Amino acid sequence: MNKIVVLYKSKYGATKKYAILLQDELSCDIYSITDYKKIPFESYDCIIFAGAIYAGGIAGLNILRKIHKNIKHKKIIILCVGASPFDEKAIEEVKTCNLKEDLKGVPFFYARGAWNESIMTFKDRIMCKMLQKMIAKQDIDSSESWMKELLCSQGKVCDWTDKENLLPILEYIREK
């Protein structure tokens, strides 16, 4: 198997948890995005970037873009982590908004993370509360699955991180 590194950005811990699961499964190295300048990228054949989705953006993607010109000849894979259940339409929107020019066509995977309002920053908690209020005004039966889940998760602590969520990315890596 090729030498693999996982570069991750984790705000509340779910993405880091997936990085550790990948490390266990692939015997690869992992680094927080804050250490990106210390990583000997030339030593790796495959770089997995893992970042959470916040308001449609992918945390840490700016760093991947910054180093992309030096690693574009390597196999690059993106793993996004979010609190919503997998929804193909929503994932396509995230890809369209975030994977432009330089990252277009990079293999992209999604894993469900966690939800815990008590550890969120004040700003994140307020934004989520505002979104929940907006969604609550809509007809719940015609709402998208992520909207229903957001309302159901309100006030709860949920952890959906699971090694099973990594099966598609692990299968992809092992096939290549």
Side-chain angles (χ1 to χ4, degrees), residues 162-176:
D162 189 325
K163 191 167 132 180
E164 294 281 314
N165 294 333
L166 293 176
L167 291 178
I169 193 170
L170 292 170
E171 192 174 298
Y172 176 84
I173 290 167
R174 290 181 175 135
E175 285 178 357
K176 300 293 173 185

Side-chain angles (χ1 to χ4, degrees), residues 43-56:
S43 303
Y44 299 100
D45 302 308
C46 177
I47 294 110
I48 301 171
F49 170 80
I53 300 170
Y54 294 105

